[in-house]
Amino acid sequence: MIAGWETLPSALAAHLAISAAALALALLVATPLVLLMPGRPWLRRTVMGLASVVQTVPALALLALFFPLLVLLRNLTGLPVPSLGLLPSLLALALYALLPLLRGGAGGLAAVPDSVRDAARAIGMSASQRLFHVELSLAAPVVMGGVRTAAVWTIGAATLATMVGQESLGDLIFAGLQLQDWQQVLLGCVAAAALALIVDGALGWCQRGIAERRWAPAAKGLVLLGLLAVGVTGWWLHSRPATQVRPVLIGTKTFSEQYILAELIAADLRAAGQPTGVRSGLGSGIAFQSLAAGGIDISIDYTGTLWTQALGRSDVVPRADMLRILTEQLKSRYGVTVAARLGFENAYALAMRRADAERLGVRSISDLARVSAKLKLATDLEFLSRAEWMAMRSAYGLEFASMRAFTPVLMVAALKDGAADVITAYSSDGALAGADFVLLTDDRGALPAYDALLLVAPGRDDLARRLARYDGRISVDAMRIANWQADRPTSKRSPAEAARWLATETGLQR
């Protein structure tokens, strides 16, 4: 079975639902604006200009911007405004759909011949009668064209809602990209494309029926939309477990280690009779905020990341002190419990090809600083904006000839093929088990510890007690090998298969 197939019904249903809801909300906003535009050129210019500006913002950035805006709204009003998942996705996608709706509506009305308006005025029709009985009727085919465009754009952009904690077909795409599981990527892409094509075809029939003043094509389109909604909903309901107990949701970030550990914990909980689900592909800050808000129940995070992002600290303290302070502060500030320290560290590091390091005489980051101005650096997507990079650059005076951001798996490929000379790596990276790389020593102690932790959401002490048995059970060597099983280019294992190996290796298998 193709990886991700078992989650396809749920992801497809969620994708269709958020796309439909966003399009409906955009229609509610666009309709009165379009109706007010005739005779008000200033309003048309203003609204179209604002909608065009929104459209220039990349969809992913628009989704991400709603997170801090909703957090600010919650802090100012004291209302329980959700900043992750459904609400930011709905608002961002609705904004993204506005421009084609506005252009379709305004363009359709503008295309109505003046002679038709004059004729309607000559027979005594009022302005509202002309608008609703004549102009909108003639403009309807163009309006439907705008609706079709907005629908296709929304379905495509909804794949990015994964990054703010909203389930969608993007879950399959992002997980597949990270794991280099191209079948899973293709499954997510084909499902999203098929959904867009079906919706576009159905709306095309509706548009044809309106243009030709015939009900048959329009009825076909409406029936197809109805069958799509019923079919996807039915498939999702059929695939759900019989139990109605709320599943425990495990959130993951966008790299293999997180997927493997999530599958390990999920299999453990299922063996104990607890339904589980995995919300994959969350951004680093989004994952913790979602946990603190109760959007997910369990996450895997790292002491250094929590130190800078959750506590806002940049100082470097001994490992034991960092763990103690984090345990206390996460509980008192956010209600989040540290259930277990897994036993390995996934620390940031810099890595080079062994041959290059030996040729240049580089063993530590201090050595690298002597030659870095001639070298190309590749980092993960967030490192250059993190406090760790600022601390490392300040401590060592690092300057590179070029710096580019990649997904973690492509970052390793960039080092292998010469597109980069140095990469940011992780001490538990599976690539270190399968490539001739060398990690450079942080000889000035610029980077904090990155012990892997199991965190549980507020009010889930039952989960904290159940997960306490993971404390100290996974070594860095075992985690590195498990990661390599999922990352290696040949004979790859799925995260679930790597998790089963890890459970047996560490004795965590029940």
Side-chain angles (χ1 to χ4, degrees):
M1 181 183 293
I2 298 175
W5 180 262
E6 68 282 356
T7 63
L8 178 60
S10 177
L12 183 60
H15 198 104
L16 179 60
I18 188 65
S19 300
L23 185 60
L25 178 59
L27 281 167
L28 285 175
V29 174
T31 299
L33 292 174
V34 168
L35 295 179
L36 289 171
M37 284 182 189
R40 298 179 178 88
W42 62 269
L43 177 61
R44 176 173 177 171
R45 288 193 299 269
T46 302
V47 170
M48 289 296 188
L50 291 174
S52 297
V53 169
V54 169
Q55 200 68 41
T56 64
V57 179
L60 181 57
L62 192 61
L63 284 158
L65 284 172
F66 269 97
F67 171 66
L69 290 176
L70 291 172
V71 169
L72 178 62
L73 178 62
R74 184 173 61 209
N75 292 338
L76 290 176
T77 64
L79 297 174
V81 180
S83 56
L84 298 164
L86 177 62
L87 184 58
S89 302
L90 178 64
L91 295 176
L93 292 174
L95 275 179
Y96 212 63
L98 272 179
L99 184 61
L101 293 176
L102 292 169
R103 281 183 174 172
L109 289 175
V112 175
D114 290 336
S115 58
V116 173
R117 291 192 179 91
D118 292 339
R121 191 179 296 110
I123 63 174
M125 282 188 170
S126 65
S128 61
Q129 288 175 327
R130 292 196 302 273
L131 176 63
F132 288 102
H133 296 293
V134 178
E135 295 175 20
L136 284 178
S137 178
L138 295 174
V142 180
V143 172
M144 281 302 303
V147 174
R148 290 177 65 182
T149 301
V152 172
W153 283 10
T154 302
I155 291 171
T159 57
L160 301 172
T162 290
M163 303 303 289
V164 293
Q166 171 60 36
E167 186 178 11
S168 74
L169 291 168
D171 293 6
L172 304 177
I173 297 171
F174 284 104
L177 285 172
Q178 172 56 37
L179 298 168
Q180 296 189 74
D181 185 344
W182 307 120
Q183 287 185 326
Q184 189 171 347
V185 174
L186 187 61
L187 179 63
C189 291
V190 168
L195 185 62
L197 287 172
I198 292 171
V199 170
D200 184 58
L203 293 175
W205 269 335
C206 293
Q207 183 181 17
R208 178 184 169 189
I210 292 171
E212 297 177 356
R213 302 295 190 271
R214 293 193 301 122
W215 281 106
K220 285 181 183 179
L222 293 174
V223 168
L224 181 56
L225 289 174
L227 289 175
L228 175 65
V230 170
V232 170
T233 303
W235 190 18
W236 169 61
L237 291 173
H238 178 73
S239 68
R240 294 176 68 194
T243 177
Q244 296 301 309
V245 177
R246 178 188 179 275
V248 171
L249 292 179
I250 306 168
T252 77
K253 302 181 187 181
T254 56
F255 51 97
S256 303
E257 181 171 291
Q258 294 268 318
Y259 299 132
I260 293 168
L261 292 172
E263 292 293 344
L264 174 68
I265 298 165
D268 189 6
L269 294 177
R270 289 175 191 138
Q274 174 66 60
T276 63
V278 177
R279 290 291 304 111
S280 61
L282 301 175
S284 184
I286 297 294
F288 180 77
Q289 293 294 337
S290 184
L291 181 79
I296 56 176
D297 301 297
I298 301 171
S299 74
I300 305 100
D301 221 317
Y302 307 92
T303 52
T305 301
L306 295 167
W307 189 253
T308 57
Q309 292 189 352
L311 301 191
R313 296 182 60 164
S314 58
D315 53 324
V316 178
V317 300
R319 173 177 274 109
D321 291 342
M322 179 179 285
L323 181 60
R324 175 182 54 79
I325 294 170
L326 278 169
T327 301
E328 296 171 355
Q329 292 291 312
L330 294 182
K331 188 69 173 180
S332 62
R333 290 193 193 184
Y334 303 100
V336 169
T337 300
V338 177
R341 182 180 62 85
L342 290 174
F344 70 91
E345 185 182 16
N346 187 355
Y348 266 118
L350 295 182
M352 298 179 66
R353 291 181 294 273
R354 187 175 300 277
D356 290 347
E358 291 175 352
R359 176 174 55 84
L360 295 170
V362 175
R363 295 182 179 83
S364 66
I365 302 179
S366 290
D367 294 334
L368 176 66
R370 292 186 291 101
V371 296
S372 63
K374 301 177 182 179
L375 303 178
K376 297 170 288 189
L377 174 68
T379 76
D380 64 34
L381 297 173
E382 60 181 57
F383 181 73
L384 294 177
S385 62
R386 291 173 65 104
E388 291 90 336
W389 165 240
M390 310 301 175
M392 184 186 293
R393 186 171 61 178
S394 175
Y396 294 100
L398 291 171
E399 296 293 339
F400 290 91
S402 67
M403 297 186 293
R404 294 178 60 191
F406 296 83
T407 62
V409 68
L410 294 181
M411 188 169 59
V412 172
L415 185 58
K416 287 181 177 179
D417 66 16
D421 304 305
V422 184
I423 63 170
T424 52
Y426 316 97
S427 56
S428 61
D429 196 335
L432 300 177
D436 197 17
F437 296 164
V438 59
L439 286 181
L440 306 183
T441 305
D442 178 18
D443 50 307
R444 297 182 185 175
L447 297 174
Y450 281 86
D451 293 308
L453 305 178
L454 275 184
L455 306 179
V456 299
R460 297 310 308 263
D461 292 341
D462 56 322
L463 290 176
R465 290 190 294 270
R466 184 178 296 176
L467 297 175
R469 74 188 192 93
Y470 284 79
D471 197 74
R473 298 295 293 275
I474 303 176
S475 69
V476 67
D477 290 334
M479 193 69 248
R480 189 179 291 165
I481 294 171
N483 286 337
W484 179 238
Q485 291 178 14
D487 288 339
R488 61 193 177 196
T490 59
S491 304
K492 290 171 65 69
R493 291 187 175 185
S494 69
E497 291 170 331
R500 284 193 290 270
W501 176 89
L502 186 60
T504 302
E505 179 71 14
T506 57
L508 285 167
Q509 189 173 44
R510 289 185 181 274

